[in-house]
Amino acid sequence: MLSDIPVLPPATPLLDTIDQGASLRMLTMVELKQLTAELRSFLLYSVGQSGGHFGAGLGVVELTVALHYIYNTPEDRIVWDVGHQTYPHKILTGRMRQMHSMRHAGGLSGFPKRSESEYDTFGVGHSSTSISAAMGMALAAKHQGIDRKVIAVIGDGAITGGMAFEALAHAGHERPNMLVVLNDNQMSIGHNRGGLATYFAKIWASKTYIAMREGSKKVLEKIRPAWELAKRTEEHMKGMVAPGTMFEELGFHYIGPLDGHDLPGLIQTLENMKELEGPQFLHIRTMKGKGFAPAEADPVGYHAINKIEVKPKGPQLAAPSSATPPPATPRLPKYQEVFGRWLCDMAAQDPRLIGITPAMCEGSGMVEFARRFKDRYYDVAIAEQHAITLAAGMACDGLKPVVAIYSTFLQRGYDQLIHDVALQNLDVTFAIDRAGLVGQDGPTHHGAFDLSYLRCIPNMVVGAPSDENECRQMLNTAYQHNGPAAIRYPRGTGPGAIISNELTLLEIGKAVEVRRGKRLAILCFGTLLKQAMVAGKELNATVVDMRWVKPLDENMVAELATQHEFLITVEENAIAGGAGSLVGEFLTSQRFKTGLLHLGLPDEFLDHGDHSEQLNWAGLTGEGILSSIKQAFPSENIASTLAMEIKTPVGIGSTT
């Protein structure tokens, strides 16, 4: 077992020979075991070089090898849920030499991606989709008369999603030829019931038992009472020693739980199940972070890691004794930490506050709240729809729920947000994390649409703070507001604003002018204020921190339109239907003729990369905003005129 992440490429003589699945299927069992060891070592090294999801991949090394060994991939379809666990799959399917580029611009995606490889049969990033997608593929094969195997691999966290159970129920009804593999890494589902369960699982997966079961079925189905009795007897026997009764009731032939790190056992079981007809369910138990001691001890902490920076070797020159060491740069708090601190502070003041998260405790900054207020903390697992309606029910009867949720995952609860919260004007606060571009996780996780899909909902209040302190005070304001309110903030750190310990109320729907200029006014919604100021100073433009998207500060917009020739809206959200669009709608309704330019995210899915790179692609850096303004108004000679005014200040008067 390894305890350190290798900083040099490990020796992988056998893995180096594996180009595609076909070459893997030529190996002996001894070679396959060697392959898993080499694969685990290389995975540790490659993730150390690139950063990315970590523990899940280590846990499915044996399963990945077994699936590609037994099934004729890519003709046979493997559909991975979420995709955190697919790094071994990528290494074995021709992308080993590209792993260093994982999650970097122009490199491999951190998730399965159809355009990247024919082995990536379905693009994912959100959870609980694999069974539905695999069932669709199985039915497509049936309709086309294709003899193809389809396998869905889902984790014990993802299977808590309602969509997964909808698919299981439908599959039990339609009975397609497909296999669902439940990778239970013991983070969610109940514990193994001991050696007896494993012993019986091996019996039920044996060729002898399967032959007896299928043969008896053909005979006894003609005698319905006898068949029903035999079926009930089998179910009761399984129910005594295995947790599979539920899946059997849904119409699946359940096998398990089995040791997911027993490669020969996995291969034998998959081989035995391969030719079975109808929906099959294989339950395996694995260890997240398997083979790397720190990850085994802390699977949550090692869910994903950053790139490992290599320390220089050899003696280092010490600073002269007379030299004064540079002051330590204080670490800026992440917006998630700002939220977590506010949540605890507010909960200490108001016993009605309830914190709700759909399986995002650590990511949303709720660890301290869960510890201090455990009786007021609800993690509903991967069930965004339920989280929102649960909050609605609480709000009906006097509680004040705060739902902490990523922007991209709030999309899943949109119907509940409209019908169960907003329609009833219920007092629910939404803390929307990961708003805007999210960096290496890429397009499946960008929070690119929340301003667009929230501002059109009646009764909603929507805020977009520009810095950490404004985020804290805006969360407090939204919480005190009697009705549904949402505050959106990005991943990572902010500009470093001083955060007040006090909790104050901001005037809802009131913007703040942060710079006075001429001719141009830049209206910034959210955390791009720093970038907007770069352009504002260069062009001597007025810059306004709009703060609120809904309600819009119409008085401020009208004043700016009266006193300036051109307005520019800036937001880290899709331009289509976003905050800028709202400004345009207002100006049109009031018959303003002011020139208007919208800057935001383009009408495309931006690929993974560093957040700074993504802002550059979208033209939302300070330089990008400046360039867009100059290009938008070339006939007005904005740049040269304003530059001249800055060097030789003269009044030009207001024009409309």
Side-chain angles (χ1 to χ4, degrees):
M1 180 177 298
L2 296 171
S3 56
D4 294 302
I5 297 174
V7 296
L8 296 175
T12 54
L14 187 56
L15 182 60
D16 292 340
T17 67
I18 303 301
D19 181 39
Q20 304 285 338
S23 54
L24 184 151
R25 290 187 280 274
M26 302 296 293
L27 301 181
T28 66
M29 184 58 65
V30 173
E31 290 172 324
L32 288 173
K33 289 183 178 180
Q34 179 185 337
L35 181 68
T36 61
E38 293 182 10
L39 179 56
R40 191 166 268 114
S41 295
F42 184 81
L43 176 61
L44 284 167
Y45 165 74
S46 66
V47 179
Q49 295 298 301
S50 65
H53 294 103
F54 188 74
L58 289 173
V60 297
V61 166
E62 287 82 7
L63 174 64
T64 306
V65 170
L67 288 173
H68 282 291
Y69 181 76
I70 290 297
Y71 293 96
N72 182 32
T73 56
E75 175 59 27
D76 290 339
R77 310 299 202 220
I78 302 175
V79 182
W80 301 91
D81 210 287
V82 186
H84 294 159
Q85 73 277 51
T86 55
Y87 290 17
H89 161 80
K90 289 177 180 266
I91 294 170
L92 291 175
T93 53
R95 289 167 278 183
M96 179 179 176
R97 302 305 170 198
Q98 299 169 268
M99 291 297 290
H100 67 280
S101 70
M102 180 73 70
R103 292 160 52 90
H104 295 294
L108 296 180
S109 169
F111 302 92
K113 189 175 182 181
R114 283 171 55 84
S115 61
E116 189 176 290
S117 171
E118 60 180 340
Y119 287 87
D120 291 0
T121 60
F122 194 76
V124 295
H126 289 191
S127 76
S128 314
T129 62
S130 61
I131 302 174
S132 296
M135 182 179 174
M137 295 176 185
L139 292 175
K142 176 183 177 182
H143 283 291
Q144 299 173 70
I146 300 173
D147 183 16
R148 173 182 295 146
K149 310 302 179 184
V150 182
I151 307 95
V153 183
I154 190 168
D156 56 328
I159 206 168
T160 63
M163 183 177 176
F165 279 94
E166 291 174 5
L168 287 169
H170 190 206
H173 174 72
E174 295 291 342
R175 304 198 59 75
N177 292 331
M178 62 180 293
L179 170 64
V180 175
V181 179
L182 172 59
N183 174 33
D184 178 3
N185 56 32
Q186 304 171 65
M187 300 290 287
S188 299
I189 291 179
H191 298 292
N192 198 329
R193 301 190 185 182
L196 189 62
T198 301
Y199 173 73
F200 274 98
K202 290 180 179 179
I203 292 177
W204 294 325
S206 68
K207 289 185 176 181
T208 303
Y209 176 82
I210 290 170
M212 289 177 58
R213 184 183 191 271
E214 296 303 309
S216 302
K217 180 179 178 181
K218 291 178 181 178
V219 174
L220 294 177
E221 274 187 329
K222 299 176 182 178
I223 312 171
R224 292 305 300 179
W227 166 242
E228 292 296 333
L229 177 62
K231 188 170 182 290
R232 284 198 300 271
T233 301
E234 180 189 47
E235 290 172 353
H236 288 310
M237 284 292 295
K238 288 185 175 184
M240 287 192 306
V241 294
T245 304
M246 176 181 63
F247 302 110
E248 291 275 359
E249 291 293 332
L250 287 169
F252 281 75
H253 175 214
Y254 173 90
I255 300 295
L258 298 178
D259 180 359
H261 302 298
D262 176 10
L263 183 61
L266 274 179
I267 288 176
Q268 184 63 56
T269 300
L270 289 170
E271 181 65 42
N272 293 342
M273 300 180 73
K274 184 178 179 182
E275 301 305 324
L276 295 179
E277 296 193 354
Q280 310 296 318
F281 196 101
L282 175 61
H283 181 179
I284 66 170
R285 293 197 182 274
T286 62
M287 177 178 287
K288 199 170 183 179
K290 177 69 173 179
F292 185 61
E296 289 188 10
D298 181 16
V300 175
Y302 280 87
H303 171 69
I305 63 169
N306 295 322
K307 175 182 178 180
I308 304 298
E309 300 295 338
V310 181
K311 297 179 180 178
K313 296 182 178 180
Q316 303 300 307
L317 295 176
S321 57
S322 60
T324 303
T329 303
R331 187 184 71 84
L332 297 178
K334 296 179 179 180
Y335 279 99
Q336 295 72 38
E337 295 170 328
V338 174
F339 164 72
R341 178 183 167 191
W342 168 81
L343 190 66
C344 289
D345 291 348
M346 195 69 250
Q349 296 184 21
D350 189 348
R352 299 173 299 166
L353 186 150
I354 303 293
I356 301 173
T357 178
M360 290 294 152
C361 179
E362 292 81 10
S364 294
M366 297 181 73
V367 173
E368 182 66 12
F369 176 83
R371 184 188 68 81
R372 290 177 56 187
F373 305 95
K374 59 183 179 180
D375 59 335
R376 293 154 64 186
Y377 166 74
Y378 293 90
D379 186 338
V380 302
I382 301 173
E384 294 87 358
Q385 300 175 39
H386 169 64
I388 294 170
T389 303
L390 175 68
M394 290 178 174
C396 284
D397 282 346
L399 298 179
K400 287 180 70 67
V402 177
V403 180
I405 191 167
Y406 291 8
S407 173
T408 184
F409 298 141
L410 181 56
Q411 295 163 184
R412 293 187 148 202
Y414 192 53
D415 181 68
Q416 289 69 26
L417 177 64
I418 295 173
H419 288 172
D420 299 340
V421 176
L423 181 63
Q424 304 182 89
N425 200 26
L426 294 175
D427 192 1
V428 178
T429 302
F430 294 91
I432 304 177
D433 193 359
R434 272 56 168 187
L437 300 168
V438 299
Q440 289 87 352
D441 282 344
T444 59
H445 284 61
H446 291 325
F449 311 108
D450 53 78
L451 294 184
S452 301
Y453 68 66
L454 288 174
R455 77 167 184 87
C456 62
I457 303 175
N459 294 330
M460 284 296 301
V461 168
V462 184
S466 62
D467 61 38
E468 301 93 330
N469 186 57
E470 200 167 271
C471 182
R472 176 176 170 87
Q473 309 310 332
M474 200 171 280
L475 284 166
N476 182 57
T477 304
Y479 181 79
Q480 301 298 346
H481 170 70
N482 186 23
I487 306 300
R488 58 108 69 173
Y489 46 90
R491 178 182 188 180
T493 58
I498 297 173
I499 303 175
S500 172
N501 291 326
E502 299 298 319
L503 291 174
T504 59
L505 293 177
L506 305 179
E507 185 177 348
I508 294 177
K510 182 67 175 178
V512 178
E513 184 179 293
V514 295
R515 188 186 192 281
R516 170 54 65 165
K518 299 177 179 180
R519 296 192 69 187
L520 295 176
I522 303 174
L523 289 67
C524 184
F525 296 86
T527 53
L528 294 176
L529 184 62
K530 180 179 179 181
Q531 291 85 339
M533 285 293 290
V534 171
K537 290 177 181 179
E538 179 71 21
L539 298 172
N540 191 24
T542 297
V543 181
V544 179
D545 176 6
M546 292 302 295
R547 287 187 171 176
W548 304 95
V549 177
K550 187 175 185 178
L552 180 70
D553 189 341
E554 295 180 346
N555 291 332
M556 174 66 79
V557 175
E559 179 183 328
L560 294 171
T562 301
Q563 298 177 357
H564 299 78
E565 298 175 47
F566 307 99
L567 303 186
I568 300 95
T569 64
V570 179
E571 61 193 302
E572 198 170 340
N573 185 85
I575 293 174
S581 294
L582 180 59
V583 172
E585 292 162 14
F586 170 73
L587 292 175
T588 300
S589 71
Q590 300 302 307
R591 308 274 179 97
F592 281 101
K593 305 296 184 184
T594 314
L596 185 60
L597 173 66
H598 298 313
L599 300 180
L601 301 182
D603 189 23
E604 61 183 277
F605 292 104
L606 292 179
D607 213 347
H608 57 275
D610 290 337
H611 182 243
S612 58
E613 290 177 308
Q614 293 169 336
L615 287 180
N616 187 51
W617 298 340
L620 294 178
T621 61
E623 295 75 13
I625 293 171
L626 179 63
S627 176
S628 295
I629 295 172
K630 291 179 178 179
Q631 291 177 24
F633 308 114
S635 63
E636 306 296 335
N637 200 21
I638 290 291
S640 61
T641 300
L642 293 176
M644 189 179 299
E645 290 175 357
I646 294 170
K647 292 176 183 178
T648 310
V650 294
I652 62 172
S654 299
T655 56
T656 306

